Amino acid sequence: MKSTLSPRPHNVVALEFILKDDTELRSAAYFLEHHFQEKDRAEEFLGKDSPLKDAIPEEELEKAKASWKRKAIALENLVSKNSLFAQVNANRQATLEGQRNKKYNWYEIGGCHSFRDLMKAVGLDKYYTGIYGSLSFETHALNASVEMWFKEDGSVYANKIRSPHNGSTTFSLACTFAISALHKLYEYLGDGADERDEFREFFIKYQKQRETVEYNLNQIILEN
């Protein structure tokens, strides 16, 4: 079934949230997120009750444990030597204390507890259902039934995975999100006259290329 080319709105909204306020602290939380996720997975798969215990040779399991131990020590050193990282870690530990599911998202450092809260924080909450919700349906193929056609002989034709058919709308949406975030990044960096001229030149080329891609995507016809 079709799964549309998603524009990854998470990343754009996250960038806007980071740039809006407490940029250094929020960027530190974002940076550490995948390290914490790796830590959680390592504890799950390399801990005392490891599901890998009887699935792989013991020698390989021990080697993986030793490798992770070295990385865990490096992560601890990284956190202890950076005040922002230490603050993020302390907030994370305090939030997780007493929780059953032990789930923590990096943006909780800014008081948000869901992606919807995150979109609200950057003034995009009105787009949550219409944009994020619909893209989530596409990404997870929850609307797969609309990508099926019944032929006259009773057979069924299904659109292919990652089909570019009707992709211009999603592509256009991705471009809109991306250029908005890029503009905010330029503003945060304190553009001078040269940088503004550079952005203007880039935007003109970008618009032409965007129109070309959208036109080409609209020319795609499904073959039954």
Side-chain angles (χ1 to χ4, degrees), residues 1-5 147 157 159-171 213-222:
M1 292 298 176
K2 177 183 176 183
S3 183
T4 299
L5 303 172
E147 298 301 330
Y157 171 78
N159 198 2
K160 297 178 180 179
I161 292 177
R162 302 295 180 189
S163 169
H165 181 246
N166 288 334
S168 62
T169 300
T170 303
F171 176 77
V213 173
E214 290 177 354
Y215 174 81
N216 290 335
L217 286 171
N218 286 329
Q219 304 311 303
I220 297 174
I221 300 175
L222 288 179

Side-chain angles (χ1 to χ4, degrees), residues 42-61:
E43 291 174 351
E44 178 183 354
F45 287 99
L46 302 176
K48 183 179 178 181
D49 300 320
S50 171
L52 301 176
K53 191 171 184 179
D54 299 319
I56 64 175
E58 184 176 351
E59 182 180 353
E60 290 186 22
L61 182 59

Side-chain angles (χ1 to χ4, degrees), residues 28-41 68 71 75 106:
Y30 184 86
F31 173 80
L32 286 176
E33 175 79 351
H34 79 276
H35 292 294
F36 287 139
Q37 289 176 347
E38 185 178 14
K39 179 176 181 290
D40 293 341
R41 293 293 177 270
W68 167 247
K71 190 162 187 177
L75 178 59
W106 69 271

Side-chain angles (χ1 to χ4, degrees), residues 5-14 115 132 135 139-140 170 174 177:
L5 303 172
S6 171
R8 299 297 298 166
H10 297 77
N11 298 337
V12 176
V13 176
F115 188 73
Y132 177 74
L135 288 176
T139 301
H140 299 287
T170 303
F177 266 84

Side-chain angles (χ1 to χ4, degrees), residues 17-33:
F17 181 69
I18 289 172
L19 294 174
K20 183 179 179 182
D21 196 12
D22 290 331
T23 299
E24 291 187 356
L25 181 62
R26 292 178 181 183
S27 60
Y30 184 86
F31 173 80
L32 286 176
E33 175 79 351

Side-chain angles (χ1 to χ4, degrees), residues 131-180:
I131 295 180
Y132 177 74
S134 61
L135 288 176
S136 179
F137 263 67
E138 291 279 0
T139 301
H140 299 287
L142 298 178
N143 60 347
S145 61
V146 301
E147 298 301 330
M148 298 172 63
W149 292 269
F150 293 87
K151 299 181 180 180
E152 293 182 1
D153 60 2
S155 60
V156 179
Y157 171 78
N159 198 2
K160 297 178 180 179
I161 292 177
R162 302 295 180 189
S163 169
H165 181 246
N166 288 334
S168 62
T169 300
T170 303
F171 176 77
S172 177
L173 182 59
C175 289
T176 300
F177 266 84
I179 203 66
S180 172

